């Protein structure tokens, strides 16, 4: 069977590449997902899957504690799910990939049109090709291969093309609330073909540090919010150190800072010769795979409250706001059966040992895990370091190899029927 | 004579208030000075002074080492000078005031239209009323009083209504280059009626601190420009300390930081979950009255070069740029005859001792001093703390009292003829 899969894939790989190009040419940034989703839905129908297309919405969704988005109206932004119903008695598998891509950014930094899907030297270039349309193409190619080979499975395969992963996971949340569950899931985010049984979660924060304005020539009459923000940053560095000293998971043994707190943006003051009366910090707090997000938020709050012991100015602590996106952490038991299977199939296909690590960023696996109770593995062909960058690309042979690993894993997990 | 001046002023003060209102109602922000300047020129003509109106320009001006402006074309932005020629044998006096005002800013924070010149409770409100049209009105009222009383002076009185003080002093520089010099000068900037024989200069700088971008989840792969900018700020704080330890002038004995280095603006990074690869700091460096500006710039450069000893990242030092406005420091000997005269007249008029200090900010007195070699005193009726603020106001009785001090000082300095 392994040989048959390999041969079919080898003979038909141009189809997968052509399909990837088609969906890369649809610039499915937030709000513009429909063109790409239509192509995915057609593909699923051609393969004979039951196709479900819907726009996320409704009270339960918008008010859900894990709902996190920059919008509440998803008209024109459908999710697409294709179900390959099994004959019964087998384990089910969700194959989840997001269709949304981040904007192309400064197009002058791109060598090719970011939505051209230009192929050269065994690589395809384009926004989203690595994060994560290439992974989605691997999933669809794996399903197509098994379908074309006339295989019947005992367990269901549920393919999900979701929106909103880049903005907080609303697409996957909506799919869970619509009732899609399974015994496990695979998400082919760009892992450089590493296997991630655990995923770091993350949350974005804003901290507003106040000062008191004065003329720069009499700056001693004011309080510099820039100087005060340095004290806040040092406190956050101490918090990061404390949180990371607690991380003993061997999956993190080679990671210098398993759950970093990154301060990404600083902005304060509006005139060179005025004492700045406000600084805003924006950052990202990593959340450990087994950690509770609310608990992590509380630790940040406590750190800011602690500032009053260091400096009377902070008797009213800086204002903390959790804003924008969040990614729920996720974890699957490293000894889980699906882990054993995917590792063994990886060895067969790649002829080497996989790297098994904890991801330094969140995926929709966190929601599948926490809200859907679906243990999830992240494993995909994209290049981690190219995600969100100009000249994003994917190595096409990795995309095919990933499809092969996944096809073989499906066969073992869902089991061939009759 | 003092009694006659006081009585005339008392009888005619409404004229000064009306004239102030007229020029406050002309919103003479940069580039829109002409309406106010026409009113000033007419006033000077009515009083019988020789009036000179010109738009600054020309090679010598634009290329002058002290030329500092946000524009090089001053069409429609004239300077106005009125000369009251003396009979000869007396000392001449420049009375210098700038006509340009800073923008009104957020008008919702104003209780009255910022260009209404609304009078209530003995105060006039409006943009520029304190900085420094009220001072200019004091000067004109002093001249008008002496003219109306039929006084003839030995020395020349040169009244200057200049543009561009708020943007680097181009108006006063142009007046100096046009040949206007005198034995001394008085500039009625808003000093709260304090007498400033010395003025701090200042210069604006930008410092660009580099980092190296990375995903926030693997922030250890990047270099945070925010963390590096904290090292830069600490180095600047050490430089400020070192520079201020050198200041021994008794005029600064009550000033906690005589020549502050203010960091007014910080801006860096553009995404909460990316390691920021650039931070820009903008600030204002104070320059001591007797200090050379180039020397001060060099000290800042040396401090940034020194960073490489603290952190290898700075083997290429942060980029330093001097930008925007600069104000040349100025000084007059505290024992100068004009100082003695103005102090003695202040005592007579105000019935108290004046506060004699060094100003924490620069004025056009620096240019008069350094380029024109005209020793200058800053003394005016405006409220220091209201300059550039919403609801800027002036106390009208202070404006009249200032005019009286200046009129009596003119009589003594220029000497009555015959």
């Amino acid at each position: 069977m392994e040989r048959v899969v390999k041969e079919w894939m080898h003979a038909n790989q141009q189809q997968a590449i052509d399909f990837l190009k088609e969906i890369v040419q649809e610039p499915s940034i937030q709000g513009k997902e429909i063109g790409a989703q239509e192509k995915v839905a057609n593909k699923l129908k051609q393969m004979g899957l039951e196709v479900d297309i819907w726009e996320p919405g409704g009270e339960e969704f918008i008010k859900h504690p894990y709902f996190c988005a920059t919008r509440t109206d998803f008209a024109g932004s459908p999710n697409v799910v294709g179900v390959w119903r099994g004959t019964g008695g087998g384990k089910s598998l969700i194959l989840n990939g997001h269709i949304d891509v981040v904007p192309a950014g400064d197009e002058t930094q791109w060598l090719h049109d970011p939505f051209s899907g230009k192929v050269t030297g065994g690589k395809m270039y384009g926004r989203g090709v690595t994060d994560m349309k290439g992974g989605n193409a691997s999933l669809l190619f794996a399903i197509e291969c098994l379908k074309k080979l006339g295989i019947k499975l005992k367990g269901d395969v549920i393919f999900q093309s979701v929106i909103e992963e880049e903005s907080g996971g609303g697409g996957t949340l909506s799919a869970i609330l619509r009732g899609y569950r399974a015994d496990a899931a695979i998400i082919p985010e760009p892992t450089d073909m590493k296997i991630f049984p655990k995923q770091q979660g993350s949350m974005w924060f804003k901290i507003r540090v106040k000062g008191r304005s004065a003329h720069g020539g009499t700056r001693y009459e004011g309080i510099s919010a820039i100087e005060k923000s340095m004290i806040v940053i040092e406190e956050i560095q101490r918090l990061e150190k404390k949180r990371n000293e607690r991380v003993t998971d061997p999956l993190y043994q080679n990671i210098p800072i398993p759950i970093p707190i990154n301060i990404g943006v600083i902005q304060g003051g509006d005139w060179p010769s005025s004492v700045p009366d406000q600084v805003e910090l924006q950052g990202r707090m990593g959340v450990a795979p087994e950690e509770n997000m609310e608990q992590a938020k509380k630790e940040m709050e406590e750190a800011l409250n602690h500032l009053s012991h260091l400096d009377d100015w902070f008797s009213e602590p800086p204002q903390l706001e959790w804003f924008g996106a969040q990614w729920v952490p996720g974890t699957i038991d490293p000894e889980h059966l699906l882990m054993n299977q995917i590792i063994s199939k990886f060895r067969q296909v790649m002829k080497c040992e996989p790297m098994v690590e904890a991801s330094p960023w969140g995926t929709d696996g966190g929601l599948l895990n926490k809200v859907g109770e679906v243990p999830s593995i992240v494993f995909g062909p994209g290049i981690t370091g190219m995600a969100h960058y100009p000249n994003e690309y994917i190595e096409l042979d990795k995309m095919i190899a990933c499809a092969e690993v996944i096809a073989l894993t499906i066969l073992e997990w869902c089991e061939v029927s009759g």
Side-chain angles (χ1 to χ4, degrees), chain A:
Chain A
M1 182 61 84
E2 280 130 32
R3 197 179 42 82
V4 177
V5 166
K6 188 179 280 297
E7 281 172 10
W8 188 92
M9 287 195 169
H10 186 70
N12 295 280
Q13 63 183 21
Q14 192 58 43
Q15 280 183 37
I17 295 165
D18 291 346
F19 181 73
L20 175 57
K21 187 170 198 160
E22 270 186 57
I23 56 175
V24 168
Q25 287 176 348
E26 295 287 344
S28 53
I29 56 171
Q30 192 190 48
K32 311 258 187 221
E33 308 89 345
I34 199 158
Q37 290 291 60
E38 278 170 357
K39 290 209 155 62
V40 170
N42 287 339
K43 184 80 183 171
L44 294 169
K45 282 174 199 161
Q46 283 165 23
M47 297 195 296
L49 274 66
E50 295 166 21
V51 179
D52 182 13
I53 303 172
W54 79 98
E55 290 163 353
E59 192 83 345
E60 188 197 7
F61 173 61
I62 304 290
K63 299 244 162 108
H64 194 279
Y66 283 99
F67 175 80
C68 173
T70 54
R71 54 177 172 166
T72 53
D73 182 2
F74 298 86
S77 297
N79 269 343
V80 173
V81 167
V83 179
W84 181 6
R85 195 72 62 192
T87 57
K91 293 182 290 301
S92 57
L93 186 65
I94 284 174
L95 301 173
N96 172 292
H98 65 84
I99 198 70
D100 57 310
V101 301
V102 297
D106 176 7
E107 297 205 9
T108 64
Q109 293 187 46
W110 287 78
L111 297 173
H112 313 291
D113 174 349
F115 298 106
S116 64
K118 167 92 178 174
V119 175
T120 173
K123 295 169 182 162
M124 187 183 295
Y125 288 82
R127 170 55 78 230
V129 72
T130 222
D131 181 14
M132 61 175 286
K133 288 175 174 175
N136 299 351
S138 295
L139 297 179
L140 289 166
F141 195 50
I143 296 171
E144 188 163 27
C145 171
L146 301 182
K147 285 291 251 180
K148 285 284 165 67
L149 293 175
I151 287 161
K152 287 196 165 41
L153 298 171
K154 290 185 181 168
D156 297 346
V157 172
I158 302 162
F159 172 86
Q160 305 184 324
S161 178
V162 296
I163 64 167
E164 290 286 296
E165 192 276 341
E166 298 290 358
S167 316
T172 289
L173 178 63
S174 172
I176 296 166
L177 298 180
R178 200 168 172 91
Y180 291 107
R181 310 278 169 118
D183 294 310
I186 297 172
I187 304 175
E189 287 270 14
T191 70
D192 288 328
M193 298 289 275
K194 294 177 187 174
I195 297 172
F196 291 166
K198 301 194 181 186
Q199 306 134 51
Q200 182 177 136
S202 64
M203 316 180 280
W204 286 3
F205 59 83
K206 269 185 201 168
I207 296 174
R208 286 190 194 84
V209 184
K210 283 191 190 159
R212 193 173 63 223
S213 194
H215 188 285
T218 53
R219 79 173 195 84
Y220 43 84
E221 290 175 354
I223 302 282
S224 165
I226 292 176
E227 290 178 10
K228 295 302 178 191
S229 72
M230 290 167 68
I231 300 171
V232 175
I233 291 171
E234 283 162 9
E235 183 66 20
I236 290 174
Q237 288 169 337
R238 277 190 293 272
L239 174 64
E240 183 191 59
K241 190 158 179 289
K242 190 177 98 180
R243 284 171 53 75
N244 280 281
E245 279 167 358
R246 290 198 305 244
V247 177
T248 54
D249 190 327
L251 284 177
Y252 280 112
Q253 67 191 353
N254 296 320
I255 310 290
I257 311 175
I259 44 170
I261 307 180
N262 182 68
I263 297 177
V265 180
I266 189 167
Q267 188 150 8
D270 52 16
W271 199 245
S273 62
S274 293
V275 176
D277 65 353
Q278 188 173 295
V279 166
E280 185 178 282
L281 304 172
Q282 293 183 11
R284 169 204 186 271
M285 183 176 194
V287 183
E290 284 86 4
E291 195 177 10
N292 178 303
M293 297 186 97
E294 291 310 311
Q295 186 53 37
K297 285 182 184 175
K298 207 159 164 245
E299 277 194 84
M300 175 67 89
E301 219 173 281
E302 282 165 3
L304 298 183
N305 288 337
H306 176 253
L307 286 166
S308 64
H309 298 288
L310 306 178
D311 187 328
D312 286 344
W313 180 251
F314 294 113
S315 62
E316 189 190 334
Q319 198 190 326
L320 172 66
E321 183 191 336
W322 301 96
F323 80 110
Q326 69 174 28
W327 287 268
V328 183
T331 182
I332 188 173
D333 183 349
E335 306 300 321
H336 191 279
L337 179 62
L338 184 65
M339 279 295 291
N340 291 336
Q341 292 180 350
I342 203 167
I343 288 170
S344 121
K345 299 307 165 194
F346 181 96
R347 287 189 191 117
Q348 280 176 32
V349 172
M350 303 300 291
K351 316 292 181 209
C352 63
E353 281 296 321
M355 291 178 71
V356 177
E357 288 183 1
S359 83
W361 24 255
T363 72
D364 278 355
L367 286 167
L368 280 167
N369 188 187
K370 287 281 196 310
V371 184
E373 295 177 349
V374 184
S376 306
I377 293 171
V378 181
F379 163 69
I383 317 270
T384 310
M386 291 313 297
H388 299 205
Y389 274 79
N391 303 309
E392 180 178 345
Y393 68 89
I394 195 166
E395 293 165 304
L396 294 167
D397 58 350
K398 292 274 170 59
M399 182 179 84
I400 303 300
C402 177
E404 198 180 335
V405 173
I406 287 170
L408 299 181
T409 304
I410 291 171
L411 286 172
E412 195 161 75
W413 176 259
C414 299
E415 290 174 76
V416 177
S417 167

